[in-house]
Amino acid sequence: MTFAADALRGRSVTVKVPATSANLGPGFDTLGLALALYDELRVSVRDEPGATVEVIGVGAGEVPTDETNLVVRAIAHTFASVGHPLPGLDLVARNTIPHGRGMGSSGAAIVSGIMAAKGLLEGVVEFDAQSLLALANDMEGHPDNVAPALFGGLTIAWVTPEGPQFKKLIVHRGVSPLVLVPSHVMSTALARSLQPESVPHEDAVFNVSRSALLVAALIQSPELLHAATEDKLHQSYRASAMPETNRLITLLRERGFAAVVSGAGPSILVLCSDPSQRLAAAELVASEAETDWQPLMLAVDFKGATVSAVATESADTPAA
């Protein structure tokens, strides 16, 4: 299908997308949590073709500022999916999600672009939750990384012959996430390359039990978080690539904290059952770490990605 380009002239939208932490220990490639740390984006349609990107904050001077930018590619992918030609675009991205730290920065960029396209096409094409997830998964490849960014809260993601699926759950108000962010980065591709092609049957059973328990702990019984975050499927295989992450997680868990690798790492997610426990975990890492780790005491985001139209002044509006 095709549409008149004039329908989008003058449109401008703002998008806000949360950081995420995937896996959460045992829930490898399945569970994800949205965190209240946000990338914000403004996209405006212009008459000239092509795209310009201004990046403020994280990634400034590092990420592409033309059509190869991941956000622009996500917008283009969404437009192409409905047969609409991509208009000229001006983007301003205000980023706070750390890059290469296991907090979903690439997933947030993809979701930002998809949501921006959704907003620009409002009234021309409509997208439901399922189609948004499918578009994001087309580019990211793992729905657990994009589902919480899109929908917020705790998400369970899985793939069927009909495409990726998700279930959103509301996290118990007693859960207090702490993310410990190091100065060094980690390649997701490298982390995945360390995974074996098969695992022992008893390890698979172990993780099935812990994943089920983790869902219960996060939505109903936070006192079970330490036991529920045990894992035998992925963290030990990746430990050699991030030794300090592994050392600190071991230390935290020995002291009773529910510490896991955040996403592909190297950041650490500590799922605390109250704010005082979160402070104690941050103090322990500050005293024991060999390098600098930034503690981020974050709330769970319950909304997920949001998009809103930017009001444009009428030509008849007098100047202030």
Side-chain angles (χ1 to χ4, degrees), residues 1-5 78-86 121 123-127:
M1 68 184 89
T2 58
F3 308 93
T78 308
F79 271 71
S81 74
V82 294
H84 198 301
L86 186 69
L121 289 166
V124 179
V125 183
E126 298 302 322
F127 298 89

Side-chain angles (χ1 to χ4, degrees), residues 279-314:
L279 286 170
E283 290 171 358
L284 177 62
V285 169
S287 65
E288 297 289 339
E290 296 171 354
T291 58
D292 290 334
W293 290 70
Q294 179 187 12
L296 300 178
M297 300 186 187
L298 304 173
V300 175
D301 169 87
F302 294 104
K303 285 187 176 181
T306 59
V307 59
S308 57
V310 176
T312 55
E313 291 187 358
S314 166

Side-chain angles (χ1 to χ4, degrees), residues 160-174:
T160 71
E162 292 73 36
Q165 312 291 326
F166 79 99
K167 174 63 178 177
K168 173 182 175 180
L169 299 170
I170 301 301
V171 177
H172 191 285
R173 63 182 181 181

Side-chain angles (χ1 to χ4, degrees), residues 134-294:
L135 286 165
N137 189 61
D138 285 345
M139 297 189 67
E140 215 290 331
H142 297 94
D144 61 307
N145 290 336
V146 289
L150 278 167
F151 308 118
L154 169 68
T155 57
I156 305 169
W158 67 100
V159 178
T160 71
E162 292 73 36
Q165 312 291 326
F166 79 99
K167 174 63 178 177
K168 173 182 175 180
L169 299 170
I170 301 301
V171 177
H172 191 285
R173 63 182 181 181
V175 175
S176 299
L178 165 68
V179 182
L180 298 153
V181 185
S183 56
H184 56 280
V185 300
M186 179 70 185
S187 162
T188 300
L190 172 60
R192 286 197 168 272
S193 72
L194 300 173
Q195 291 294 126
E197 292 186 3
S198 61
V199 296
H201 178 269
E202 63 181 26
D203 289 355
V205 173
F206 181 96
N207 269 60
V208 168
S209 68
R210 297 312 189 275
S211 296
L213 182 61
L214 181 55
V215 172
L218 284 169
I219 67 175
Q220 183 176 338
S221 306
E223 70 276 6
L224 297 174
L225 281 167
H226 187 267
T229 48
E230 293 179 304
D231 161 68
K232 290 188 177 182
L233 281 190
H234 68 104
Q235 293 180 124
S236 61
Y237 297 108
R238 298 173 172 183
S240 62
M242 36 187 163
E244 190 172 19
T245 295
N246 182 60
R247 183 180 69 83
L248 291 172
I249 287 176
T250 299
L251 176 63
L252 284 161
R253 295 195 66 84
E254 287 174 349
R255 302 289 180 88
F257 298 104
V260 298
V261 177
S262 181
S267 293
I268 297 169
L269 172 68
V270 188
L271 292 169
C272 300
S273 56
D274 63 67
S276 63
Q277 188 185 45
R278 184 163 63 176
L279 286 170
E283 290 171 358
L284 177 62
V285 169
S287 65
E288 297 289 339
E290 296 171 354
T291 58
D292 290 334
W293 290 70
Q294 179 187 12

